[in-house]
Amino acid sequence: MTVAPSAPLGGVVQVRGEVLSVRRVGAYAAITLLAPGVAERFRPGHFVALAIGDQSSSMLLRRSFSIHRCQERGVYGGTVEIVVSAHGPGTQWLASRRPHDPVDVVGPLGTPFALPKEPASCALVGGGYGSAPLFTLAERLRARGCRVDIVLGAATEERLFGVLEAKRMADSVTVTTDDGSLGIRGRVTDALPRVIERAATDVVYACGPMAMLRAVSDVAAGAGIPAQVAVEEAMACGIGVCMTCVLPVVGEDGVTRMVRSCTEGPVFRGESVRWADVGTVPADCLGAPVAAGGH
Amino acid sequence: MTVPPTVRPVAPHSADVPEPAVDMRASLAWAALPNPVATASGCAANGRELARFYPLSRLGAMVTKSVMLAPRSGRPTPRMAETPSGMLNSIGLQGPGVDAFVQQDLPWLKSQGARTIASIAAGSIDEYAEVAARLALAPPGTVTAVEVNISCPNVEDRGLVFACDPHAAAAAVAAAREATDPSIPVLAKLSPDVTDIVSIARACVGAGADGLTMINTVLGMAIDTTTLRPVLGGVTGGLSGPAIRPVAVRCVWQVHAALPDVPILGVGGVRTGLDALQLILAGASAVSVGTAVFNDPGAPLRVLGELRTALAERGFERLRDAVGYAHRALGDGADRIAPAVPAGPSLQDFAPDAEEAL
């Protein structure tokens, strides 16, 4: 199976967006923003970077969110929907927005999921609200004649996202929770091998916590199929200039580099990420510091 | 000395008013810039990402990320921590090395119409000379000025920060100046983490620096109170953003007071046109917008527009008349550093509400 390469540094806009609605969904807030120009350029896997507060805000760094839904022509213009887990002051600020509040939006950002060129059997795996970008992906895959199986997992039922949505669009939906409050008790990777076997999966797509992506990549590799994973790394800018969101990735040439998850990613081939070395600079990485005071 | 312009009261600005006519041309030593607003090293990469938002030719200059001799991976993650009105970073000068920069980035920047201030860094005096020499192989016209970063706090050994010692700073600057085309001005980028920044500035100018960039980040640290460990992979990091603006204004002020003829590129916490104006009034000939770009990719051009308006509102017809103006406002013959504090409004001015306020 071949997947089309996607070009980094695509078209992007900075717009003064406006909140249309904030809905509570389980443990999360789904925020719909009027953001002209973003939806028109959107492909599944893209994300947006939002400014917190106004120009006098003491929180300078943007918060990045994968795009859950996009509508090119709403009543008021193009809209994007994101899913927020309000666990810090920035995300709490976002989740407390009211309709018509302005929010500065930069997007769409990142390298999106690569889609199969021919109809294929695709398994989509989401952890918690990390599943947010999988539903537009599922739609595009279905439109290409692909089979779509969705696996959603979370710690508890409340922290699952998009189960009903998944049931509306997928050939099969498998749900796992750590505490067994819904679906299979366990992890997504406990259920994934059976899905792959049953659906004769050609490619796995995943988005969620890094530990889950690592485990999903391992399962896919074990089954001999490629995985496309959207990573979560802390970003200061989202646009590729700050160099904070790097992780060790093996290139086509076999060389490991510290690459930015905002521009080269967030979607990577699962086997290209050196999961065990995330958070470190591997000694064989291009330009790694020489042990004794070389730099 | 030119005659100070007549300063008139500041009037509120309306969005309907057309762009005011102010001569915004700026210069850093003999490098002429169409306007005084540049990016800051490490906050705009080498231009390709920002070029998606606006033409780089509209910037006064692009200051590129500090480049070293060899490719460099930088430090482990986490590399960033948000702090009040700022951020800490421990990137560690990640980059592709000077040869790739010269072959790929500089010609591309020129093709975009950008004026490039190339920032270079090194771990030794010899390496400064070597990086500058390789940079000198760049196609003619691709480098407007060279910024010698002698103050990056993310080297493994803090003792290696050249900008903390006048002799080391001078040696690094001299090595870079020697290897650089004499027609290209060299700026030395100073650290605020020193006891006496004026003595470092003097040493750099004495060693051949044609101008100074002030300031680099302030060394800081954050500890995660959940994990009970340092937040940054590099443990300590550079503090940037509006939190450090007063430090930048002070450094520019002190050095301009001591070396009024040395051009200064002011950097540190510029988020608005008035922030930029502060640095210019303190003595900066041009201003870099750094961390604010992370918040607002369009910040440099917004700051430029706001600065132009702010200058017009204050009766300045030319940017260069505002450079160091705050020193003049102290009055002739005053060699004191602290300005007189103007008498504030007295309570009598607010007589009806004064008691409530108390």
Side-chain angles (χ1 to χ4, degrees):
Chain A
M1 206 218 59
T2 54
V3 286
S6 38
L9 293 189
V12 58
V13 293
Q14 178 181 13
V15 290
R16 188 176 187 271
E18 183 185 317
V19 174
L20 290 181
S21 69
V22 181
R23 297 180 291 126
R24 233 200 84 191
V25 185
Y28 311 112
I31 304 176
T32 304
L33 296 160
L34 184 62
V38 179
E40 291 83 340
R41 294 169 170 82
F42 165 79
R43 287 162 63 190
H46 274 143
F47 66 93
V48 287
L50 309 182
I52 301 302
D54 57 16
Q55 246 188 63
S56 62
S57 168
S58 70
M59 286 183 278
L60 289 178
L61 306 184
R62 282 185 178 253
R63 269 53 171 183
S64 294
F65 301 93
S66 56
I67 296 171
H68 174 229
R69 300 216 145 270
C70 252
Q71 214 169 355
E72 278 192 38
R73 279 184 210 80
V75 179
Y76 309 100
T79 64
V80 293
E81 188 173 12
I82 57 165
V83 181
V84 175
S85 175
H87 57 256
T91 42
Q92 280 160 9
W93 181 86
L94 280 170
S96 65
R97 292 305 87 201
R98 299 262 171 266
H100 306 303
D101 283 352
V103 176
D104 188 286
V105 182
V106 173
L109 292 163
T111 302
F113 289 109
L115 304 178
K117 285 179 176 147
E118 289 115 34
S121 176
C122 306
L124 279 51
V125 185
Y129 70 117
S131 64
L134 297 181
F135 305 98
T136 50
L137 174 66
E139 283 171 4
R140 304 276 171 115
L141 291 171
R142 291 299 295 259
R144 287 173 176 235
C146 293
R147 177 187 167 91
V148 172
D149 299 277
I150 296 182
V151 183
L152 299 176
T156 64
E157 179 182 357
E158 199 194 21
R159 304 196 78 80
L160 286 164
F161 180 83
V163 175
L164 282 176
E165 218 170 340
K167 285 183 174 163
R168 280 202 299 272
M169 58 178 63
D171 292 280
S172 81
V173 178
T174 309
V175 173
T176 69
T177 48
D178 293 353
D179 65 353
S181 52
L182 192 73
I184 302 164
R185 180 193 294 267
R187 302 288 171 94
V188 287
T189 40
D190 297 332
L192 184 58
R194 263 194 42 214
V195 172
I196 291 174
E197 194 185 342
R198 198 178 58 219
T201 301
D202 296 308
V203 55
V204 176
Y205 293 89
C207 187
M210 294 294 270
M212 186 203 92
L213 299 182
R214 179 182 185 176
V216 168
S217 297
D218 287 347
V219 170
I225 57 177
Q228 290 256 319
V229 301
V231 303
E232 288 187 346
E233 272 288 348
M235 300 173 185
C237 71
I239 61 169
V241 296
C242 77
M243 305 299 291
T244 60
C245 61
V246 298
L247 70 174
V249 171
V250 184
E252 305 269 324
D253 53 4
V255 177
T256 298
R257 295 176 179 83
M258 299 300 286
V259 307
R260 298 166 294 186
S261 55
C262 65
T263 49
E264 281 88 348
V267 177
F268 292 100
R269 289 180 296 112
E271 74 274 17
S272 72
V273 178
R274 290 179 59 169
W275 300 104
D277 298 315
V278 170
T280 72
V281 177
D284 60 341
C285 177
L286 182 69
V290 182
H295 284 287
Chain B
M1 274 287 175
T2 51
V3 180
T6 316
V7 175
R8 58 170 184 258
V10 176
H13 177 64
S14 158
D16 303 331
V17 176
E19 204 167 72
V22 177
D23 180 353
M24 295 297 279
R25 285 175 298 172
S27 61
L28 286 168
W30 57 94
L33 309 176
N35 72 65
V37 179
T39 56
S41 182
C43 298
N46 290 340
R48 288 174 207 268
E49 297 80 4
L50 286 186
R52 297 182 290 168
F53 294 94
Y54 43 83
L56 301 181
S57 57
R58 291 180 62 194
L59 297 167
M62 257 295 301
V63 183
T64 53
K65 184 166 173 64
S66 292
V67 66
M68 296 183 77
L69 185 58
R72 197 174 152 103
S73 67
R75 309 195 95 172
T77 54
R79 291 178 166 189
M80 172 268 284
E82 192 173 46
T83 59
S85 292
M87 70 176 277
L88 288 161
N89 86 79
S90 63
I91 310 298
L93 292 179
Q94 179 171 348
V98 67
D99 293 340
F101 175 69
V102 165
Q103 283 156 22
Q104 290 157 28
D105 294 298
L106 287 174
W108 181 83
L109 282 160
K110 173 104 161 83
S111 76
Q112 300 295 303
R115 288 148 295 276
T116 301
I117 299 179
S119 177
I120 61 170
S124 69
I125 303 300
D126 288 346
E127 192 186 347
Y128 276 110
E130 184 63 26
V131 177
R134 304 262 186 114
L135 189 64
L137 301 174
T142 56
V143 176
T144 298
V146 174
E147 181 177 279
V148 187
N149 180 3
I150 53 173
S151 46
C152 180
N154 284 312
V155 291
E156 281 75 0
D157 178 359
R158 184 70 188 142
L160 283 176
V161 176
F162 297 89
C164 290
D165 173 74
H167 300 291
V173 169
R177 176 67 279 183
E178 180 80 6
T180 300
D181 179 341
S183 71
I184 295 174
V186 167
L187 312 173
K189 186 165 185 179
L190 305 188
S191 167
D193 288 340
V194 294
T195 311
D196 177 16
I197 195 163
V198 171
S199 65
I200 309 282
R202 275 189 212 284
C204 290
V205 172
D210 306 296
L212 301 165
T213 301
M214 283 187 284
I215 55 176
N216 210 318
T217 53
V218 181
L219 195 67
M221 185 172 170
I223 295 177
D224 186 321
T225 49
T226 303
T227 64
L228 314 183
R229 294 288 181 273
V231 172
L232 297 174
V235 183
T236 61
L239 178 64
S240 63
I244 69 163
R245 189 176 61 240
V247 181
V249 174
R250 181 268 295 175
C251 290
V252 170
W253 173 277
Q254 287 179 327
V255 170
H256 184 73
L259 304 165
D261 297 327
V262 175
I264 295 171
L265 175 56
V267 199
V270 174
R271 193 174 187 182
T272 68
L274 293 180
D275 299 342
L277 182 59
Q278 280 200 52
L279 285 167
I280 288 162
L281 294 171
S285 298
V287 170
S288 280
V289 178
T291 301
V293 168
F294 301 164
N295 176 269
D296 174 11
L301 297 184
R302 176 177 52 73
V303 166
L304 174 60
E306 291 169 357
L307 175 63
R308 179 188 282 112
T309 300
L311 287 166
E313 287 171 348
R314 284 153 184 79
F316 289 102
E317 289 169 1
R318 300 180 305 186
L319 164 83
R320 64 174 179 270
D321 294 334
V323 174
Y325 190 87
H327 294 262
R328 279 191 250 167
L330 290 181
D332 292 332
D335 57 357
R336 59 174 190 254
I337 292 297
V341 178
S346 69
L347 282 178
Q348 281 88 345
D349 295 337
F350 304 100
D353 299 316
E355 282 179 29
E356 278 179 44
L358 290 170

